[in-house]
Amino acid sequence: MVAIGDEEGGIRLLDSDKGNVSTFSKAYVSLRPHTNAVMDLAFSSDDLLLATASGDQTARIIDVRAQSTRFVMAGHASSVKQVRFQPGNDSVIATSSRDGSVRLWDTRCRGSEGPVLNIRTSLDPDGPDPLTMTPHISRYVDTYNSIPDAHAYRQSLQTLQKTANVMTAQRDALLKGESPGRRGDVSITALAFLGAGRDNLLLTASEASACVKLWDIRGKYTPRRGPAVPISTTREPDSHHQHRHFGINSLALSGDGGRLYALCRDSTVYAYSTNHLVLGHAPELSSSTPALRHGYRHEGKEGLGPLYGFRHSSFHAATFYVKSSLRPAQDDRTELLAVGSSDGCVILFPTEERLLRCHAASSPHSDHELPSDHYLTPPA
């Protein structure tokens, strides 16, 4: 089954079995749990629950068999961008929002009950019951932890210079007829658990910059105790420091968890080492740093940058709707990274590093490239 969300808040389940007699375009079942666009979907580990994120500022847990809302997660002040189940524990869900916060929910915690309305509709105009509206009671889950302003942009002497560079880049983009970047927007556009024994570690990225942050969800992050500081933060690509900044659309982890692939708005997929990220700069481990409560440290230095990047002449990430997905290696099938494009095509990158062809750009470097950058392209 493939779950697809639409702009009206509806969800369709399509049967992708090659032996299915009906066409792939015909929905196996459809329902409408939201009143605004569905931004993201995620199945639980047993495929019996479907988590949804919506522009109506809520996330929901759908019982796939009953086709009804089991849990409602309301609390964000803007559109919910991403939703993820914690690996190995389908009771814990992480959501990120345009309001700049990350919220953590536990369906085992006591919440409140309230009415919801499920709308089921058939795509067949000749069907006997094209529209069914069923009110019932669902549980509203409370937030048990949150990371407010996870990617807030704090001003300093260094960042003031970055802001000046961004304003110059925006002016140049307008002169060229391009859409300018929005450095001040802190929308959390990407979310991913590390998994593989590190299920308490959460990765976040935003549309403000190409920095990826690593958080421990066991920490307490409350505004009254100061700004939240992550375990580590990746360093932006060198070209971003000298020119304009680009945000991250989505995050994907390799099957063994050793590589993190970040799809960036500069039409590049950057590859990071997760071990380097976990062991990144941690000022709280220094003997000269005073001991502080877990989850809040002094502003730390940036961590390591990307190992390499994927590029292709047909890959263009002009909007934040361009996403990526990874196919794990299985049997004789190698691992593949699929990325969308604003041009309407899909590009497949092999992630087996020994098969990749690494090269330095032989053509003159553009304003967004540096000679030290290395990019990988699919082998011919």
Side-chain angles (χ1 to χ4, degrees):
M1 291 294 178
V2 178
I4 299 177
D6 60 36
E7 293 185 351
E8 287 73 36
I11 297 173
R12 291 171 171 81
L13 293 179
L14 306 180
D15 190 348
S16 63
D17 188 356
K18 292 181 179 179
N20 185 20
V21 294
S22 61
T23 62
F24 184 73
S25 60
K26 183 177 181 180
Y28 181 80
V29 70
S30 62
L31 63 155
R32 199 175 83 184
H34 291 282
T35 59
N36 206 323
V38 176
M39 301 292 187
D40 194 30
L41 297 164
F43 277 104
S44 61
S45 59
D46 58 7
D47 295 332
L48 298 180
L49 299 175
L50 179 64
T52 64
S54 173
D56 63 9
Q57 304 181 10
T58 69
R60 299 194 179 201
I61 304 296
I62 308 297
D63 186 323
V64 178
R65 292 175 297 184
Q67 303 167 33
S68 61
T69 300
R70 182 180 292 186
F71 301 103
V72 179
M73 294 167 284
H76 283 292
S78 189
S79 302
V80 183
K81 294 292 188 180
Q82 294 266 276
V83 60
R84 292 291 181 269
F85 285 100
Q86 183 183 31
N89 186 1
D90 291 334
S91 297
V92 175
I93 300 97
T95 58
S96 66
S97 171
R98 190 176 180 181
D99 62 15
S101 70
V102 174
R103 288 178 177 262
L104 296 161
W105 319 77
D106 193 330
T107 58
R108 298 167 298 186
C109 297
R110 185 176 180 179
S112 59
E113 293 187 342
V116 296
L117 185 65
N118 286 317
I119 303 176
R120 301 183 189 179
T121 179
S122 173
L123 297 182
D124 185 3
D126 299 327
D129 190 12
L131 183 65
T132 301
M133 305 177 68
T134 308
H136 75 285
I137 302 299
S138 292
R139 184 189 300 177
Y140 283 72
V141 185
D142 294 330
T143 304
Y144 81 88
N145 198 1
S146 65
I147 308 174
D149 300 324
H151 285 255
Y153 191 61
R154 303 179 181 91
Q155 296 292 317
S156 64
L157 290 177
Q158 182 181 9
T159 56
L160 283 173
Q161 181 60 46
K162 291 183 180 180
T163 303
N165 292 341
V166 172
M167 292 177 65
T168 302
Q170 290 179 343
R171 180 198 62 192
D172 295 341
L174 286 173
L175 293 176
K176 296 178 182 179
E178 300 174 356
S179 176
R182 295 176 297 172
R183 179 69 180 184
D185 200 332
V186 293
S187 175
I188 310 302
T189 54
L191 199 65
F193 281 99
L194 275 189
R198 301 170 176 174
D199 48 14
N200 62 296
L201 299 179
L202 182 68
L203 296 162
T204 63
S206 76
E207 63 179 2
S209 72
C211 291
V212 179
K213 295 187 178 184
L214 179 67
W215 308 86
D216 190 333
I217 63 174
R218 298 171 298 184
K220 293 298 181 183
Y221 309 94
T222 55
R224 62 182 178 84
R225 303 169 73 180
V229 177
I231 295 176
S232 63
T233 305
T234 64
R235 179 176 56 83
E236 290 187 81
D238 294 338
S239 56
H240 292 203
H241 284 284
Q242 297 190 6
H243 303 283
R244 60 175 296 187
H245 296 265
F246 297 86
I248 297 294
N249 285 16
S250 66
L251 300 172
L253 287 165
S254 62
D256 59 4
R259 292 288 183 266
L260 167 67
Y261 303 106
L263 193 160
C264 184
R265 277 289 304 278
D266 66 355
S267 300
T268 305
V269 179
Y270 293 103
Y272 297 88
S273 167
T274 55
N275 287 334
H276 290 170
L277 186 58
V278 172
L279 300 176
H281 185 82
E284 65 272 16
L285 299 181
S286 172
S287 58
S288 61
T289 303
L292 298 175
R293 294 289 299 271
H294 179 73
Y296 286 88
R297 313 296 181 195
H298 294 298
E299 190 71 20
K301 297 180 180 179
E302 293 176 316
L304 296 175
L307 300 175
Y308 52 84
F310 292 98
R311 281 185 176 176
H312 193 274
S313 59
S314 298
F315 172 37
H316 302 99
T319 72
F320 280 97
Y321 294 104
V322 176
K323 303 293 183 179
S324 64
S325 183
L326 187 133
R327 184 191 75 178
Q330 185 177 4
D331 299 329
D332 60 343
R333 298 186 306 175
T334 60
E335 186 176 89
L336 286 177
L337 178 67
V339 298
S341 177
S342 301
D343 299 335
C345 65
V346 177
I347 297 92
L348 300 177
F349 292 105
T351 60
E352 181 61 47
E353 293 179 356
R354 63 184 178 86
L355 300 178
L356 296 174
R357 173 166 51 91
C358 183
H359 65 87
S362 58
S363 58
H365 298 284
S366 68
D367 292 339
H368 302 298
E369 295 179 328
L370 292 176
S372 60
D373 287 343
H374 287 79
Y375 303 103
L376 297 163
T377 57

